Amino acid sequence: MKVDVLLGLQWGDEGKGKVVDVLTPRYDAVARFQGGPNAGHTLEFDGKKYVLRSIPSGIFQSGQTNLIGNGVVLDPVLFREEAEALEASGVNLKKVLKLSRKAHLILPTHRLLDAAGEKAKGDAKIGTTGKGIGPTYTDKISRNGLRLGDVENPATAKGKYESHRDAHLRRLADMGCPADSETLARMETAWLDAIEYLRGFDIVDSEFVVNKLLSEGKKVLCEGAQGTMLDVDFGSYPFVTSSNTVCAGACTGLGIAPNRIGEVFGIFKAYCTRVGAGPFPTELFDETGKTIRDLGHEYGAVTGRERRCGWIDLVALRYAIMINGVTQLIMMKSDVLDGFDTIRACVAYKINGKETRDFPFSIETGSVEPVYVDIPGWKTPMTAVTSEAQFPAAFKAYIEFLEKALATPITIVSVGPDRTQTIER
Ligand code: GDP
Ligand code: IMO
Ligand code: MG
């Protein structure tokens, strides 16, 4: 049995959570493979809205196993907050959720190191979510990390925690950002309590769990976090996150062999957004950008920050499709563009007067001039559309244009935030 992967093709917030929730009934398990509480995945149904950070978006459907894989970094305190809120809303989380023993833990001092790292960068700061993601993955790669399996034994957990904390405190002092002892003590108490809470969950060797599911003929959907352009290898480095958000990350983040990968769902907005610093060739600084932000409610699900908005970027999308081996495209938020007379799509970049269709090694601010084609808008409210037969002709033409330019079929179109506002083609 194959594993399908759903991942973002832009700079995150494409709508992954919504579609994972919609697709979950077709699967036996949903698994997160990277990232941590830097993610904010929004689901809307029955008039309610939920934002998930570390917990897979399959949690609201019934019967599926939800797995947090080894590639995820887990903040026990934020996990507890999220889990308790879900339990309060009636989800029997302990029954359906499993956590990898090999997932690395975010310590309170990782968050302090994240803030200190950003401060040290000054104007060159990344604009991280401040959740300690970079420092936790740094510790993992430099072989200094603390994993969930390391704190399963209550007799040794605190000691292990303290030795990691002490190393971090020395690093913070060296960076000129010593930790405030009262604040740290508060964070630490909550963290240790949360570790206790975590022990109440099913902590597993997730690579065996996922491979057993597959050998039993069960279907698994992997849920990406962030987006391809935030991938640490292929994104707009250094303005990226600290994990492999691309399809290959599902293999390393869950222990799945590459020949197990089946469908790769690449999800994108009908326009483009980015939160935090870094290059964004099609960014709009004018009224149009503001209009897209207002109509699309483009504010971060985690930090509340304004998302930068711009036209769809087919150079970046073609690159993301190539890196991930995308087999099907999913277009989100087309309804946000309902009122526009004309929609623009960037088909190439002009860099120093030379046109390129390949995403470049690096992008200096202001050095890229997007080459646009103009497409007539559909000027029809899409939120009430329930089938492809109701698509206005101009909307059909936009889809056909994108499919041709991206050489990949668009099989799902989303026309609103609710579960039901999803059209399959
Ligand atoms: P994720 O991080 O990829 O899961 O995406 P986010 O949840 O951070 O951001 C997507 C936002 O768009 C959320 O507020 C969703 O509720 C909303 N959304 C998803 N699909 C649609 C859509 O088709 N139309 C509109 N208007 N909003 C959508
Ligand atoms: P979802 O899963 C959008 C961005 C941050 C920052 C950079 C590095 O909801 O799509 P980090 O805290 O990871 O070290 O920040 O990555 N970023 C996201 N942007 N959506 C996300 O997740 C993001 N996760 C991180 O804004 O620019
Ligand atoms: Mg998000």
Side-chain angles (χ1 to χ4, degrees):
M1 191 51 80
K2 298 275 190 190
V3 166
D4 296 341
V5 182
L6 184 145
L7 42 78
L9 298 179
Q10 296 165 320
W11 278 277
D13 303 325
E14 296 90 349
K16 299 174 287 292
K18 169 183 163 164
V19 180
V20 168
D21 171 59
V22 169
L23 295 180
T24 293
R26 299 172 199 183
Y27 292 88
D28 299 293
V30 178
R32 276 278 305 269
F33 57 91
Q34 47 70 231
N38 48 347
H41 296 177
T42 315
L43 281 65
E44 284 192 40
F45 54 89
D46 300 341
K48 292 204 191 81
K49 180 168 159 174
Y50 302 88
V51 178
L52 298 171
R53 293 154 137 197
S54 300
I55 294 172
S57 301
I59 211 75
F60 292 104
Q61 303 286 0
S62 60
Q64 290 80 10
T65 298
N66 283 262
L67 193 64
I68 296 183
N70 56 280
V72 172
V73 289
L74 199 62
D75 183 322
V77 177
L78 295 181
F79 171 83
R80 180 182 187 166
E81 256 175 37
E82 188 178 334
E84 285 183 340
L86 287 171
E87 284 174 322
S89 67
V91 179
N92 189 350
L93 209 56
K94 291 204 171 101
K95 190 162 162 242
V96 292
L97 185 66
K98 295 183 192 300
L99 297 101
S100 173
R101 207 160 256 135
K102 291 193 173 77
H104 278 249
L105 295 172
I106 302 175
L107 273 56
T109 37
H110 280 131
R111 292 176 73 159
L112 301 179
L113 283 163
D114 193 351
E118 286 282 86
K119 191 167 167 229
K121 277 181 176 278
D123 287 345
K125 73 175 183 193
I126 309 294
T128 73
T129 58
K131 304 291 177 225
I133 304 297
T136 307
Y137 279 113
T138 302
D139 273 354
K140 171 177 175 172
I141 300 300
S142 65
R143 298 159 295 184
N144 290 307
L146 188 66
R147 298 178 296 174
L148 184 50
D150 295 323
V151 296
E152 269 186 279
N153 180 352
T156 54
K158 189 157 185 268
K160 286 185 187 172
Y161 162 76
E162 282 170 354
S163 82
H164 284 78
R165 176 205 57 192
D166 291 347
H168 293 164
L169 290 177
R170 286 192 293 276
R171 225 188 291 163
L172 282 163
D174 287 349
M175 291 172 86
C177 297
D180 172 67
S181 50
E182 255 177 55
T183 315
L184 181 62
R186 255 200 322 275
M187 289 166 95
E188 198 159 83
T189 306
W191 194 88
L192 290 164
D193 285 353
I195 290 291
E196 188 72 42
Y197 173 77
L198 267 172
R199 287 196 197 102
F201 282 83
D202 198 7
I203 299 174
V204 297
D205 295 311
S206 57
E207 61 276 36
F208 288 106
V209 171
V210 78
N211 281 289
K212 185 162 177 282
L213 282 167
L214 293 175
S215 62
E216 288 169 352
K218 301 273 170 46
K219 293 185 76 182
V220 179
L221 177 64
C222 304
E223 173 179 4
Q226 290 75 58
T228 301
M229 302 316 287
L230 288 170
D231 179 87
V232 68
D233 279 279
F234 298 105
S236 46
Y237 192 89
F239 299 99
V240 293
T241 190
S242 298
S243 63
N244 280 118
T245 61
V246 295
C247 188
C251 296
T252 55
L254 286 165
I256 291 170
N259 61 2
R260 290 286 204 176
I261 303 291
E263 292 297 316
V264 181
F265 299 105
I267 182 164
F268 67 98
K269 287 179 194 174
Y271 49 95
C272 195
T273 64
R274 158 158 221 177
V275 56
F280 182 2
T282 60
E283 182 167 10
L284 291 164
F285 300 96
D286 57 6
E287 275 306 305
T288 308
K290 200 174 163 299
T291 305
I292 294 177
R293 182 177 309 120
D294 290 345
L295 293 173
H297 305 291
E298 294 295 356
Y299 297 89
V302 173
T303 57
R305 287 180 293 178
E306 270 190 2
R307 294 180 185 146
R308 300 155 64 192
C309 296
W311 294 119
I312 197 165
D313 181 342
L314 303 183
V315 178
L317 274 179
R318 274 194 304 265
Y319 181 70
I321 290 168
M322 174 184 82
I323 298 291
N324 291 302
V326 171
T327 58
Q328 299 185 39
L329 289 167
I330 301 175
M331 180 164 78
M332 309 299 289
K333 303 191 89 159
S334 28
D335 53 294
V336 172
L337 302 181
D338 282 354
F340 287 83
D341 291 324
T342 306
I343 286 152
R344 309 195 91 187
C346 165
V347 291
Y349 295 161
K350 213 177 238 180
I351 302 174
N352 299 325
K354 221 175 134 216
E355 212 168 285
T356 177
R357 287 165 55 87
D358 292 337
F359 196 79
F361 170 73
S362 73
I363 294 176
E364 300 293 325
T365 311
S367 71
V368 170
E369 196 191 316
V371 179
Y372 287 115
V373 296
D374 288 345
I375 298 149
W378 41 92
K379 306 280 284 176
T380 312
M382 290 297 293
T383 43
V385 168
T386 53
S387 75
E388 191 180 3
Q390 297 164 7
F391 285 178
F395 187 70
K396 264 192 210 150
Y398 182 52
I399 290 186
E400 279 161 20
F401 163 78
L402 291 176
E403 288 188 318
K404 191 156 173 245
L406 301 170
T408 316
I410 298 176
T411 55
I412 297 177
V413 173
S414 172
V415 294
D418 194 85
R419 226 184 224 176
T420 55
Q421 293 171 305
T422 316
I423 301 164
E424 294 206 44
R425 302 177 68 222

